[in-house]
């Protein structure tokens, strides 16, 4: 999956594909929808145009039967007495921006997932190299053992045990190659590209060692904007306690028999909040604001705890790797080399030989796993801090 083939994607190509991932685009559409909802809910209600026929006698619907008969044309408009619609507009602007940061955070999460895949594949590639080297080593040992068996120095059981170990390594190597193919399936979903592969030389591993001095935690910013939006919604609901007034003007066109002419009327209406619905809405908005504030506080506490844990984990893994690299692996290599020479001279048993080979392989695989864990922890640490995961 990690390849140096020229036709493979570069790391930056993969980042561009992730930015257009369906789940990210879905949130961008949600942001646009939220903006539109805000536009609708922060606008005044449409004016009401009314046309009515007034006081037509039942016996005859003739226009000139009575001086009170007429056609009334009216228009009315609800007018807010507070700036609640402005607050609603501001709230939805904040909501839409919070969704935008939610999309950015999802894009960072998908980038983190890609890093985890690349790290796992690097680990698998290293393990394949270790197993392949072991196969080469034990193949040579089997050839030596066949000569020793022909000379009567070792038993047939010893030769068979070495050949069994050789076949086990070949099976293990095949399993690792299949694991690498399985990672391709995961990457294909992430990038939406069949037989996806990343050019090895394009992967910016150095980013994992850099420290971003100006991190931007998109998830924390999402929680902050959501809190601010709900504060504004609460403020708007409090202002809604003062109802809109309804102002109307009407003109009544009357028949010719009435010498007083047409009528003009004006109206002002004010709704009465008798059932406590607005007070209930204010309480609901307050609870919603409190939930958003608690969510932000909880996230910050959890984030600080996670960062400390990850920092300690990196220190622990780094120490284990230093011990393995500086002492343990070198001792195991020397032990296998000495045991191999001694075995070829007939002075060591095949059991001692297999033990030395198994121990070295175990340590080399352990180092590869620790290096992968260290890279994973660095990616998680950078992601949680809000650092950049690509150039």
């Amino acid at each position: 999956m990690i390849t140096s083939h020229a036709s493979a994607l570069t790391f930056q190509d993969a980042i561009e594909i992730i930015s257009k991932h369906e789940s990210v685009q879905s949130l961008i559409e949600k942001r646009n929808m939220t903006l539109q909802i805000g536009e609708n809910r922060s606008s005044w209600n449409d004016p009401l145009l009314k046309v009515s026929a007034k006081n037509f006698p039942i016996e005859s619907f003739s226009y000139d039967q009575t001086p009170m008969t007429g056609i009334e044309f009216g228009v009315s408009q609800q007018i807010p007495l507070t700036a609640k619609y402005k607050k609603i507009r501001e709230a939805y602007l904040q909501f839409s921006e919070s969704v935008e940061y939610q999309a950015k955070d999802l894009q960072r999460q998908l980038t983190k997932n890609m890093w985890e895949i690349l790290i796992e594949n690097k680990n698998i590639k290293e393990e394949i190299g270790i197993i392949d080297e072991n196969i080469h080593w034990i193949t040579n040992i089997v050839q030596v053992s066949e000569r020793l068996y022909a000379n009567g120095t070792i038993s047939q059981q010893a030769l068979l045990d070495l050949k069994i170990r050789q076949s086990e390594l070949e099976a293990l190597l095949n399993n690792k190659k299949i694991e690498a193919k399985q990672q391709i399936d995961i990457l294909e979903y992430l990038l939406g590209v069949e037989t996806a592969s990343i050019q090895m030389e394009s992967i910016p591993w150095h980013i994992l060692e850099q420290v971003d001095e100006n991190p931007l935690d998109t998830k924390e910013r999402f929680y902050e904007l959501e809190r601010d939006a709900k504060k504004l919604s609460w403020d708007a609901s409090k202002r809604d306690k003062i109802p809109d007034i309804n102002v109307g003007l009407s003109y009544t066109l009357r028949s010719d028999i009435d010498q007083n002419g047409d009528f003009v009327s004006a109206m002002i209406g004010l709704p009465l909040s008798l059932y406590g619905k607005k007070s209930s809405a204010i309480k609901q908005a307050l609870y919603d604001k409190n939930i958003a504030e608690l969510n932000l506080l909880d996230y910050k506490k959890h984030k600080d705890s996670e960062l400390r844990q990850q920092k300690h984990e990196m220190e622990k893994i780094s120490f284990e790797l230093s011990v393995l690299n500086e002492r343990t692996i070198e001792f195991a290599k020397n032990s296998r080399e000495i045991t191999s020479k001694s075995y070829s001279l007939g002075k060591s048993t095949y059991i001692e030989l297999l033990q030395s080979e198994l121990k070295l392989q175990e340590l080399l695989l352990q180092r590869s796993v620790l290096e992968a864990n260290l890279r994973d922890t660095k990616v998680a640490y950078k992601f949680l801090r809000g650092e950049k995961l690509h150039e």
Side-chain angles (χ1 to χ4, degrees), residues 277-339:
K277 288 185 177 181
K278 293 191 175 181
S279 296
S280 177
I282 293 171
K283 289 180 181 178
Q284 181 180 338
L286 175 61
Y287 296 147
D288 209 19
K289 175 188 75 74
N290 292 342
I291 290 170
E293 289 175 342
L294 291 170
N295 286 341
L296 174 61
L297 182 61
D298 178 67
Y299 175 75
K300 286 182 175 180
K301 288 183 176 179
H302 182 263
K303 173 184 172 180
D304 291 341
S305 174
E306 284 290 311
L307 286 173
R308 289 194 297 271
Q309 291 179 51
Q310 288 169 0
K311 198 168 185 179
H312 293 150
E313 182 69 12
M314 285 189 286
E315 291 172 355
K316 184 185 78 172
I317 295 174
S318 297
F319 178 76
E320 289 184 43
L321 281 171
S322 66
V323 172
L324 276 174
N325 289 324
E326 294 171 11
R327 289 180 289 176
T328 314
I329 289 178
E330 288 302 315
F331 295 156
K333 285 181 178 178
N334 293 335
S335 174
R336 190 182 72 168
E337 185 179 352
I338 292 170
T339 307

Side-chain angles (χ1 to χ4, degrees), residues 32-276:
N32 296 335
M33 180 187 71
T34 304
L35 276 174
Q36 192 58 56
I37 292 173
E39 286 293 322
N40 294 338
R41 293 188 178 178
S42 63
S43 300
W44 286 16
N45 292 329
D46 293 334
L48 176 65
L49 179 64
K50 180 179 71 170
V51 178
S52 60
K54 300 179 62 177
N55 300 319
F56 279 82
I58 296 176
E59 295 81 3
S60 171
F61 287 97
S62 176
Y63 185 77
D64 56 358
Q65 292 296 309
T66 169
M68 299 303 296
T69 299
I71 303 296
E72 183 182 46
F73 300 91
V75 62
S76 62
Q77 173 67 59
Q78 282 189 326
I79 300 175
L81 297 177
T82 66
K84 66 176 184 179
Y85 288 117
K86 178 183 177 183
K87 292 296 179 181
I88 291 173
R89 180 186 295 272
E90 291 174 354
Y92 274 92
L93 284 173
Q94 296 282 48
F95 275 127
S96 66
E97 193 175 353
S98 73
V99 176
E100 183 177 348
Y101 273 93
Q102 192 177 14
K104 290 179 180 179
D105 186 67
L106 177 57
Q107 185 176 338
R108 293 186 73 248
Q109 180 66 60
L110 293 174
T111 304
K112 175 177 177 284
N113 293 347
M114 184 174 71
W115 269 111
E116 291 169 348
I117 295 170
L118 297 177
I119 289 168
E120 177 63 20
N121 276 274
K122 183 177 176 64
N123 177 44
I124 292 173
K125 183 177 180 182
E126 290 173 353
E127 289 179 340
I128 287 174
I130 292 167
I131 297 167
D132 198 42
E133 192 275 333
N134 276 5
I135 290 174
H136 179 72
W137 176 84
I138 204 165
T139 300
N140 293 334
I141 293 298
V142 167
Q143 292 174 354
V144 171
S145 300
E146 287 174 343
R147 291 196 299 270
L148 293 174
Y149 172 69
N151 296 333
T153 306
I154 63 171
S155 65
Q156 186 180 22
Q157 182 62 45
L159 180 59
L160 290 174
D161 285 345
L162 289 168
K163 288 186 175 182
I164 289 171
R165 176 58 183 164
Q166 184 182 29
S167 63
E168 287 175 346
L169 286 172
E170 289 170 352
L172 183 59
L173 179 62
N174 184 66
N175 290 342
K176 288 296 177 182
K177 288 180 178 179
I178 292 174
E179 286 180 24
K181 291 179 181 179
Q182 289 172 336
Q183 293 297 309
I184 293 177
D185 297 331
I186 302 173
L187 195 66
E188 283 180 359
Y189 161 72
L190 191 63
L191 301 181
V193 180
E194 292 185 2
T195 62
S197 58
I198 305 292
Q199 292 178 19
M200 184 187 302
E201 61 274 13
S202 72
I203 302 173
W205 296 106
H206 62 275
I207 284 180
L208 303 185
E209 310 304 324
Q210 294 175 348
V211 177
D212 192 345
E213 299 297 339
N214 298 301
L216 175 60
D217 185 350
T218 47
K219 177 169 274 189
E220 183 174 337
R221 187 64 184 140
F222 159 73
Y223 281 124
E224 288 174 345
L225 288 165
E226 189 176 48
R227 174 205 59 191
D228 295 343
K230 290 183 177 180
K231 279 183 178 179
L232 288 166
S233 295
W234 178 50
D235 193 6
S237 67
K238 288 190 295 182
R239 292 169 187 259
D240 193 41
K241 193 76 180 287
I242 300 174
D244 298 347
I245 62 170
N246 194 4
V247 178
L249 184 67
S250 63
Y251 176 85
T252 303
L253 179 65
R254 302 204 301 160
S255 67
D256 295 340
I257 65 170
D258 183 47
Q259 298 179 0
N260 293 326
D262 301 334
F263 289 151
V264 175
S265 303
M267 180 272 293
I268 294 180
L270 186 69
L272 300 176
S273 300
L274 299 178
Y275 302 108

